[in-house]
Amino acid sequence: MNNQQQDRKPRRSRDDREKREREQRDGRGDREEREELDERVIDIKRVAKVIKGGRRFAFRTVVVVGDGKGRIGIGIGKARAVPDSIRKGTDRARRQLNQVNLSGTTIPHPVTAEYGGAKVLLKPASPGTGVIAGGGVRAVLEAAGVRDILTKSQGSSNLLNVAMATMHALMELRSAQEMAAMRGKNIDEVRPFFERKRRTTEVVESE
């Protein structure tokens, strides 16, 4: 009996050591990924829940997370304290990262999307234009990696609805190859106008 217990102790200690090393590796990977993602708090509001004894107040936070290369996610966190709500929103945004189609530093084509009472219009722009947007639209676009774009918010100014409408608009984007296949046209005919002009100039110079 004593010999069996002695045999179990080294095995258990080895398993515990391997578990700790695995957790350290996972934590290191999470920290490295956390450092390379851009996190932005869009909105913080105090909300109330009516209960039997009165009203219970909490904070609702809207967080957008992106890698600047086309991956974007939006999370909503709610807690009694602001730091906890931000942490919850960030974790949910990281779990909901989605890939969107970009064309260089802009978007492939104009798109409009609605969410609740908010309506957002996005239009591609030539290099050097910058992000012509404000509020939640700018935060979402910059986190996604868009650097040149024209936008217009045409409905409600609620930051949550505007951010979600922008997110839906980005999810509706299709690459130039997909648009050409859908419309039965040459891929150069569906590219943004400034890309068509640049490609034409390159062809003329090569000739």
Side-chain angles (χ1 to χ4, degrees):
M1 185 70 177
N2 293 332
N3 293 336
Q4 292 180 356
Q5 291 179 352
Q6 290 177 358
D7 292 338
R8 289 175 183 171
K9 287 182 179 178
R11 187 182 308 163
R12 187 179 306 164
S13 62
R14 186 168 58 252
D15 293 342
D16 293 340
R17 187 168 59 252
E18 292 176 356
K19 183 178 180 180
R20 285 196 302 270
E21 291 176 356
R22 186 165 57 250
E23 289 176 352
Q24 290 176 358
R25 288 196 302 269
D26 294 341
R28 193 181 307 117
D30 293 341
R31 285 195 300 272
E32 292 175 357
E33 183 180 0
R34 189 174 295 274
E35 291 175 357
E36 69 183 15
L37 292 179
D38 183 13
E39 302 173 2
R40 303 186 183 210
V41 178
I42 298 178
D43 187 28
I44 299 177
K45 281 192 175 182
R46 193 179 74 163
V47 295
K49 179 181 179 182
V50 179
I51 59 177
K52 184 177 180 180
R55 289 188 294 177
R56 177 178 295 171
F57 292 99
F59 292 94
R60 186 205 68 189
T61 305
V62 183
V63 183
V64 58
V65 174
D67 63 351
K69 301 175 183 177
R71 292 175 65 215
I72 187 72
I74 295 179
I76 302 172
K78 190 181 294 184
R80 300 290 295 276
V82 173
D84 292 337
S85 65
I86 294 175
R87 177 181 52 80
K88 288 182 179 180
T90 302
D91 292 341
R92 286 173 181 163
R94 287 175 175 275
R95 291 197 299 266
Q96 299 173 3
L97 286 174
N98 296 304
Q99 184 71 37
V100 298
N101 290 309
L102 302 180
S103 179
T105 59
T106 186
I107 58 177
H109 56 84
V111 63
T112 303
E114 298 182 10
Y115 186 88
K119 183 178 181 181
V120 174
L121 167 66
L122 307 180
K123 295 182 68 176
S126 57
T129 303
V131 179
I132 309 301
V137 180
R138 173 181 287 272
V140 174
L141 294 174
E142 289 183 347
V146 179
R147 298 291 176 263
D148 303 295
I149 194 169
L150 303 173
T151 70
K152 181 65 177 177
S153 178
Q154 300 174 324
S156 169
S157 60
N158 181 279
L159 289 175
L160 173 59
N161 289 346
V162 169
M164 294 301 293
T166 307
M167 182 70 181
H168 286 187
L170 291 176
M171 295 300 298
E172 293 178 5
L173 292 174
R174 299 290 180 268
S175 64
Q177 292 82 356
E178 292 175 341
M179 291 295 295
M182 290 169 56
R183 300 173 61 183
K185 291 189 174 183
N186 189 352
I187 187 172
D188 291 331
E189 297 180 12
V190 298
R191 293 182 186 272
F193 68 93
F194 52 88
E195 287 193 5
R196 292 199 298 267
K197 183 178 179 181
R198 186 169 62 231
R199 290 178 63 85
T200 303
T201 305
E202 292 175 355
V203 172
V204 172
E205 290 178 354
S206 63
E207 292 177 354

